[in-house]
Amino acid sequence: MCIDKSWPSGGPDWAAVGVLLREGSVLLIKRVEREGDPWSGQVAFPGGRWKPGEDLMGTVVREVEEEVGVRPTALVGVLPPQSPSNAPWLKVVPFVFSQWVGEVRPNPREVREARWISKGEMSEGEWMGRRAYVAGDWVIWGLTYRILKRLIECGLL
């Protein structure tokens, strides 16, 4: 199954990312470099960890709003959870949205840059012995690469 309309409730070992689709492109961010952040400086989807008192939909809406200033409104569906290789205990659920309220404005405390990237702008190759996409000067690897691959396989991007 490619996409579902239900999602897990969340918990301490859960996170959610927002996949924002617009006219054949997807919004990706480059995280600020921060000591102690295992994903410092990497290309990613906006998102983050679950907090007590919210479900994963609440997590993704909060995190997307915090990181890029828009509030997702139209859910296309949810992809199956995946785990980053450096945190195999963490389950990350990608929420795919086609609409939101507001204009994308990266939060400089968390996001160095945000870009809309189309499938045609990405070339597939290797980076440090791992499969990756390259889009301009951005290298997209790891969990973000795997989510993008799934979006393409499912015909969403």
Side-chain angles (χ1 to χ4, degrees):
M1 174 185 283
C2 265
I3 200 156
D4 200 349
K5 287 285 190 172
S6 64
W7 53 88
S9 58
D13 295 338
W14 289 85
V17 295
V19 178
L20 277 57
L21 299 177
R22 180 184 81 179
E23 300 169 1
S25 294
V26 63
L27 183 69
L28 294 174
I29 63 170
K30 184 165 246 189
R31 298 171 57 90
V32 296
E33 294 185 22
R34 187 177 305 157
E35 196 170 320
D37 178 356
W39 298 284
S40 175
Q42 293 183 14
V43 177
F45 292 98
R49 298 287 298 273
W50 169 91
K51 287 185 178 176
E54 64 187 11
D55 70 357
L56 284 176
M57 175 63 85
T59 299
V60 73
V61 169
R62 173 181 52 79
E63 287 285 346
V64 168
E65 207 164 13
E66 283 176 10
E67 293 185 1
V68 294
V70 299
R71 184 171 190 78
T73 56
L75 180 69
V76 174
V78 178
L79 295 172
Q82 296 191 49
S83 297
S85 58
N86 63 345
W89 45 267
L90 183 64
K91 296 168 282 303
V92 179
V93 178
F95 285 75
V96 181
F97 296 97
S98 60
Q99 294 177 12
W100 46 89
V101 175
E103 295 295 319
V104 172
R105 283 190 199 88
N107 175 346
R109 291 186 310 274
E110 297 190 40
V111 177
R112 190 165 65 191
E113 186 181 352
R115 289 184 191 171
W116 292 98
I117 296 177
S118 70
K119 179 178 147 184
E121 292 174 86
M122 298 186 297
S123 59
E124 194 167 359
E126 271 196 26
W127 181 75
M128 294 178 57
R130 299 174 182 211
R131 299 301 301 160
Y133 288 116
V134 176
D137 60 344
W138 281 14
V139 177
I140 307 160
W141 63 284
L143 181 60
T144 304
Y145 165 83
R146 288 185 277 133
I147 293 170
L148 283 169
K149 191 90 170 152
R150 182 74 177 210
L151 289 168
I152 292 167
E153 289 168 357
C154 291
L156 295 167
L157 182 63

